[in-house]
Amino acid sequence: MNRVLLLLDNKRNRTLLADWLGQRYDVIQADQNTWTEMPFDLCLIDGTTLDRLGQGVRMKKAEEEPVFLPVVLVTSHREAELITRHLWQTVDELIHMPIEKLELLARVEVLLRARRLSLDLRLRNEELEAFFHAMSHDVRAPLRAIRGFAQLLQAGESERLSAQGRHDLDQIQAAAGQMQEIVNGLIDFARIEYGDQQVKPLSLDLLIRKCLDQMVQEIEQRHAAVVIRGPFPHVLANKLLLTSAITNLLSNAMKFVARGARPVITIQAIVAHHICHLEIQDNGIGIALDDQTRLFRPFTQLHGSEVYEGIGLGLATVRKAMELMKGRCGVVSAPGQGSTFWLELPLEE
């Protein structure tokens, strides 16, 4: 993690830098024809060499992405002015000659520290991917087996079981289903920021109707009434992220109602100052003001899973999705008076 490659035509500068940096780092003075084969953590290059090897340096940096591979240009003021038009495509830092030893060491140390952090971040991401894989396959597989065998047992042996046995079997199926929901929720919440995050113009009207089409079974099961008050504008958003946010809010609006009450949901948009303010209003149980500040945190369950199913990741997923799109979200609510959850996104330019 302390390998410094010197790509300098000026022999005197190369010798001085090798002496200074060699006291702290592993200095590599490679041949300019074979330097790409040398593993390094930071490159010091001068203007003359950059003119010849600029494309190779850019390719080397691209190969390392998303890990940061710092490149420092050592140059005079005049040379820097001549190559400014290409400079920031390749170079991360610039040091003017004559070189101050302390300044050089400080900048090199900062850039190497940034590289170490980016390597650590890649390692964390790889560990997360391994976790996702394990959750997706190694945990889901035995859960499917438990539920499958429980269903077979209930179908084929139910009459031979005692009342207590049938009750226990129902509990096994319920617990396995709850565990499946927890696993799916954890994976969806953790994966949301690793997918495509590009925003582009999209029709909010079409997206809302597609969300409702996807949820038609849940809407029918809960006998929910959905009122759509258009029109809805085109917004700048990511389709998958916004779909996740809206479906989570709609699902909550149908779930958190008083026992025996029919869910009634109203969807409308307010446009002002180049911003779309999308509201999803429900007739649910409402939320106390003191609870609203922590509502969007992960694993927040205000009423307990024994009253309303869930693991407290739906609104946390909404918040994360909106943050990734540079949008905002919030709620206006009071106990017994329902809630209005809102999302804000910029309009299509």
Side-chain angles (χ1 to χ4, degrees):
M1 269 309 302
N2 292 316
R3 297 162 298 188
V4 178
L5 174 66
L6 301 183
L7 291 179
L8 304 169
D9 266 0
N10 188 297
K11 184 177 180 180
R12 180 173 179 275
N13 287 339
R14 189 167 65 244
T15 301
L16 286 173
L17 288 173
D19 290 342
W20 289 348
L21 297 174
Q23 300 174 31
R24 292 173 175 260
Y25 309 109
D26 181 12
V27 175
I28 303 169
Q29 299 188 59
D31 183 273
Q32 293 187 8
N33 295 321
T34 60
W35 68 273
T36 55
E37 302 172 7
M38 300 288 186
F40 60 92
D41 301 299
L42 180 144
C43 175
L44 289 169
I45 193 168
D46 57 21
T48 305
T49 310
L50 184 63
D51 284 339
R52 294 199 308 270
L53 304 180
Q55 183 177 357
V57 173
R58 288 190 290 274
M59 291 177 61
K60 190 71 173 178
K61 288 173 70 71
E63 289 173 4
E64 292 274 326
E65 289 180 352
V67 175
F68 174 51
L69 181 62
V71 175
V72 180
L73 176 64
V74 180
T75 182
S76 66
H77 285 279
R78 182 176 178 277
E79 285 180 333
E81 293 172 0
L82 293 175
I83 59 176
T84 296
R85 51 202 172 102
H86 307 289
L87 197 59
W88 307 118
Q89 299 175 11
T90 312
V91 174
D92 303 292
E93 185 63 273
L94 186 146
I95 295 179
H96 289 114
M97 296 183 293
I99 297 171
E100 292 288 340
K101 182 191 295 188
L102 291 178
E103 179 187 1
L104 172 66
L105 293 176
R107 294 195 185 189
V108 167
E109 184 58 36
V110 168
L111 290 170
L112 286 174
R113 186 177 302 173
R115 176 166 171 80
R116 285 192 290 271
L117 290 173
S118 68
L119 283 166
D120 288 343
L121 182 59
R122 183 181 68 176
L123 179 61
R124 300 292 188 276
N125 288 340
E126 290 174 351
E127 291 172 347
L128 280 173
E129 284 300 320
F131 167 77
F132 295 150
H133 184 273
M135 293 289 282
S136 299
H137 301 280
D138 300 342
V139 176
R140 278 175 169 168
L143 277 175
R144 286 194 296 267
I146 292 171
R147 299 186 74 180
F149 282 117
Q151 289 169 1
L152 289 173
L153 185 60
Q154 189 172 49
E157 304 291 336
S158 179
E159 295 181 358
R160 299 166 60 180
L161 293 173
S162 65
Q164 183 62 47
R166 288 192 293 271
H167 173 76
D168 293 343
L169 189 57
D170 289 339
Q171 292 296 101
I172 290 172
Q173 289 181 307
Q178 186 179 17
M179 186 62 189
Q180 184 73 60
E181 184 180 357
I182 292 172
V183 171
N184 292 340
L186 286 170
I187 292 173
D188 292 342
F189 177 71
R191 273 198 183 280
I192 194 169
E193 62 181 313
Y194 292 95
D196 175 30
Q197 299 175 15
Q198 183 180 4
V199 298
K200 58 184 180 181
L202 57 85
S203 169
L204 189 55
D205 183 80
L206 289 177
L207 188 138
I208 289 172
R209 295 183 187 278
K210 285 183 179 179
C211 290
L212 292 172
D213 288 342
Q214 293 173 6
M215 304 179 71
V216 64
Q217 185 176 358
E218 184 177 357
I219 292 172
E220 291 176 353
Q221 287 177 346
R222 297 184 183 273
H223 307 288
V226 180
V227 180
I228 302 175
R229 292 180 179 170
F232 297 97
H234 283 64
V235 296
L236 286 175
N238 177 278
K239 183 178 180 180
L240 293 178
L241 292 175
L242 187 54
T243 297
S244 176
I246 291 175
T247 53
N248 270 292
L249 292 181
L250 290 173
S251 182
N252 281 356
M254 288 185 280
K255 182 192 304 181
F256 293 100
V257 294
R259 294 300 183 190
R262 182 191 185 193
V264 179
I265 303 165
T266 302
I267 308 172
Q268 63 182 358
I270 301 169
V271 175
H273 306 294
H274 305 288
I275 295 294
C276 173
H277 183 90
L278 177 67
E279 294 184 345
I280 297 178
Q281 183 179 3
D282 63 51
N283 64 330
I285 56 178
I287 306 156
L289 184 61
D290 291 343
D291 292 328
Q292 293 175 23
T293 57
R294 60 188 181 94
L295 192 60
F296 291 89
R297 297 175 187 171
F299 305 107
T300 297
Q301 294 177 283
L302 301 182
H303 310 286
S305 59
E306 69 279 358
V307 180
Y308 296 98
E309 72 271 16
I311 60 173
L313 283 176
L315 291 179
T317 301
V318 172
R319 177 186 58 79
K320 181 178 284 190
M322 296 307 296
E323 287 177 351
L324 291 172
M325 292 186 289
K326 312 301 183 187
R328 299 197 308 145
C329 61
V331 63
V332 177
S333 183
Q337 299 181 27
S339 303
T340 299
F341 285 88
W342 54 266
L343 309 175
E344 282 189 348
L345 286 166
L347 296 176
E348 176 188 1
E349 296 179 357

